[in-house]
Amino acid sequence: MGELPRVKLRLGRLTGTGQKGVDGLIILDMINLAGNRAIDTAIVFSGDEDLREAMVHAQGYGVSAVLVGLPETPRQGQSRLLIREADHHLVLPVDLLARHLRLASPAPAGSQAAVESSESSSAVEEQLVTAAAADEIEAAILQLAHAVVYDRRFAERDDLLDSEQPDRLTRTADRLLVGRLADRTGAFPVDPAALRSARAVCLLVAAQRWPAGG
């Protein structure tokens, strides 16, 4: 799929409870693409309420948000708040997907696939430890972003976000973010990937503090 033309594949990470990290990648894409006027419609196939603020943020740039889902079941459904924020809500019939997807059968015991699965158990355990550490980092970056966005120096939205490029922090805000990130990590210059992530989370928190049209 990632090799298809005009397709950017975003992969999360697997943990013992499922896949993680995908929502954050979707949020970053919606913020960046909307802020750069690169899209006019965002089609979101999810039910997670965590995407609501990113959807509102994109709508503030005139992006039409289309929410797509499957029929609700006792075990899963879409957030009512997410549905409320969407410009359009589409529910796909199950038989439509059944023509394109099928459930894979488990590998029989003793098969090559089962042997490979057993051999990879230690690698899975290592991934779980890595994922736990990554979750701690994400929580720290979110806390850091809240501290910057709600700093008393930024009473107005234009104090925090560049008025000409609202998808960027002002120089003052960015310097504060870099300084606090350096204090938190004990390293300077700060890690570029961590700084990009912190900047993106700051934009998301800013959208929560100053909702579009609010």
Side-chain angles (χ1 to χ4, degrees):
M1 184 182 296
E3 296 178 1
L4 293 174
R6 298 181 63 81
V7 171
K8 183 66 176 180
L9 179 63
R10 304 297 196 197
L11 297 176
R13 61 185 185 276
L14 294 176
T15 71
T17 57
Q19 185 167 271
K20 300 200 62 155
V22 175
D23 288 348
L25 298 175
I26 294 175
I27 289 170
L28 291 180
D29 274 345
M30 291 183 68
I31 290 175
N32 291 331
L33 293 172
N36 289 316
R37 301 291 199 273
I39 57 172
D40 56 18
T41 302
I43 301 175
V44 181
F45 198 148
S46 177
D48 197 327
E49 187 178 329
D50 290 344
L51 299 177
R52 185 173 69 91
E53 294 298 340
M55 182 181 290
V56 172
H57 180 85
Q59 288 169 323
Y61 287 98
V63 173
S64 177
V66 179
L67 181 65
V68 182
L70 297 173
E72 189 171 349
T73 70
R75 297 187 60 183
Q76 72 174 25
Q78 292 180 292
S79 161
R80 311 313 298 178
L81 292 177
L82 190 64
I83 293 174
R84 185 182 304 168
E85 295 292 356
D87 296 302
H88 305 281
H89 181 219
L90 302 177
V91 178
L92 299 181
V94 175
D95 58 354
L96 173 65
L97 296 183
R99 296 200 295 266
H100 305 281
L101 303 174
R102 65 183 176 84
L103 185 64
S105 301
S111 69
Q112 181 63 28
V115 172
E116 291 175 354
S117 175
S118 175
E119 292 175 347
S120 65
S121 60
S122 59
V124 172
E125 291 176 359
E126 183 178 346
Q127 289 177 359
L128 292 179
V129 173
T130 303
D135 286 342
E136 292 181 5
I137 293 173
E138 288 180 1
I141 288 178
L142 180 60
Q143 183 180 18
L144 184 67
H146 268 277
V148 171
V149 173
Y150 286 93
D151 188 278
R152 62 184 181 182
R153 281 167 280 193
F154 310 127
E156 303 293 336
R157 187 175 186 274
D158 287 344
D159 296 333
L160 179 80
L161 303 179
D162 191 310
S163 58
E164 296 183 356
Q165 295 179 293
D167 61 330
R168 293 178 180 272
L169 300 175
T170 61
R171 186 172 300 179
T172 300
D174 200 62
R175 282 202 297 261
L176 178 62
L177 177 62
V178 171
R180 294 200 173 186
L181 188 58
D183 289 341
R184 177 66 69 99
T185 61
F188 188 83
V190 297
D191 179 66
L195 180 56
R196 286 195 299 271
S197 178
R199 284 169 174 161
V201 176
C202 279
L203 294 177
L204 182 59
V205 175
Q208 295 174 338
R209 182 178 181 185
W210 296 290

